[in-house]
Amino acid sequence: MKGTVVHHEHRIGFIVIRDEKGEFTIAELLGKYDVEMGDVVSGNLHASGDEALFNQTQDETMEVSIKGHGLSEQDAISMLLRTH
């Protein structure tokens, strides 16, 4: 599944990805990756826990921990606010 990075919370190392269905996934980056808003990411966006996602824009595999998926935009915002 493909998605687009719509937010990168640099302070806590989280990204928010909007998938092709318009649902949102929140993932914690498990390393130093060059991720920008608008990057296209592919992989199992509807998994939970540790996953490898491929950032097609940066041509880089990223190890992440998926914290939530299938979220509405409001649910994704609320979840990010709770992680601060």
Side-chain angles (χ1 to χ4, degrees):
M1 176 171 280
K2 270 199 248 186
T4 303
V5 176
V6 295
H7 185 71
H8 184 177
E9 188 66 44
H10 293 276
R11 281 187 313 108
I12 58 174
F14 278 60
I15 57 173
V16 180
I17 304 162
R18 183 179 53 236
D19 67 25
E20 298 163 315
K21 296 195 280 185
E23 296 177 336
F24 293 82
T25 296
I26 295 180
E28 179 181 8
L29 298 172
L30 300 177
K32 286 267 191 190
Y33 300 106
D34 186 22
V35 182
E36 302 292 333
M37 283 181 50
D39 284 1
V40 176
V41 175
S42 61
N44 191 356
L45 299 176
H46 288 180
S48 293
D50 294 353
E51 285 289 321
L53 300 179
F54 184 68
N55 184 332
Q56 295 178 347
T57 306
Q58 305 292 338
D59 193 29
E60 177 177 51
T61 299
M62 306 180 297
E63 296 296 324
V64 303
S65 178
I66 296 180
K67 303 298 186 183
H69 58 83
L71 302 169
S72 68
E73 184 174 16
Q74 187 58 50
D75 288 342
I77 291 168
S78 294
M79 183 177 264
L80 266 184
L81 291 174
R82 286 193 307 268
T83 61
H84 288 141

